[in-house]
Amino acid sequence: MKDFWKLEDFKSTKYNYITYHIVMTLVGYLYFQIYKNLDEGKKYSGKSLPVIVKNYKETRPKSVIIYVGQYFGIFPFLEFLQLYAECTLDATVSMLEAMPEDARIKVNIFTYFEY
């Protein structure tokens, strides 16, 4: 199963995490099987999910979801970059401090533009 579903990036050794990951993988596979039985999913009949994911081409523009507490906003990626570039240095530092550590790494490339 690990080779077929490309699960080699999963590194946890905790039983609960492993169990959750396996169950969610199987639930995802089940939903995929149900989808293939619908009229909309007939084009995927006879194909496995890993093959479809490998050959998938994104057709929609990417979006960024920003959320704080109970509020959220969905922005097209380019609009988000524009908003971020227009922020003052104080606002940028505040945003980075509010982000989880793993998200900071992804956003950090945009942090130190010369204004």
Side-chain angles (χ1 to χ4, degrees):
M1 185 168 134
K2 187 173 180 177
D3 290 336
F4 182 76
W5 286 96
K6 305 291 184 203
L7 299 177
E8 59 269 353
D9 292 337
F10 186 72
K11 306 271 190 270
S12 179
T13 57
K14 295 188 177 184
Y15 178 78
N16 289 343
Y17 292 140
I18 294 169
T19 304
Y20 176 80
H21 191 72
I22 291 171
V23 168
M24 289 298 110
T25 300
L26 293 174
V27 167
Y29 179 75
L30 175 65
Y31 280 137
F32 175 65
Q33 294 301 319
I34 292 170
Y35 179 72
K36 285 193 329 183
N37 289 327
L38 299 174
D39 290 337
E40 190 177 309
K42 292 286 187 208
K43 60 185 173 186
Y44 299 115
S45 183
K47 297 179 182 175
S48 68
L49 186 57
V51 171
I52 292 169
V53 169
K54 181 180 174 186
N55 296 325
Y56 179 73
K57 304 288 188 250
E58 183 72 36
T59 56
R60 291 185 277 157
K62 300 210 180 300
S63 297
V64 177
I65 301 172
I66 305 294
Y67 60 94
V68 177
Q70 65 184 15
Y71 303 102
F72 70 95
I74 302 172
F75 301 95
F77 184 70
L78 293 177
E79 183 180 346
F80 169 75
L81 287 180
Q82 207 171 23
L83 290 169
Y84 188 81
E86 293 172 2
C87 288
T88 63
L89 186 58
D90 292 336
T92 304
V93 169
S94 295
M95 280 191 291
L96 287 174
E97 289 173 351
M99 287 182 187
E101 188 67 34
D102 60 341
R104 288 184 204 171
I105 297 167
K106 297 172 188 168
V107 174
N108 208 20
I109 60 171
F110 302 114
T111 304
Y112 299 105
F113 283 119
E114 294 293 326
Y115 290 99

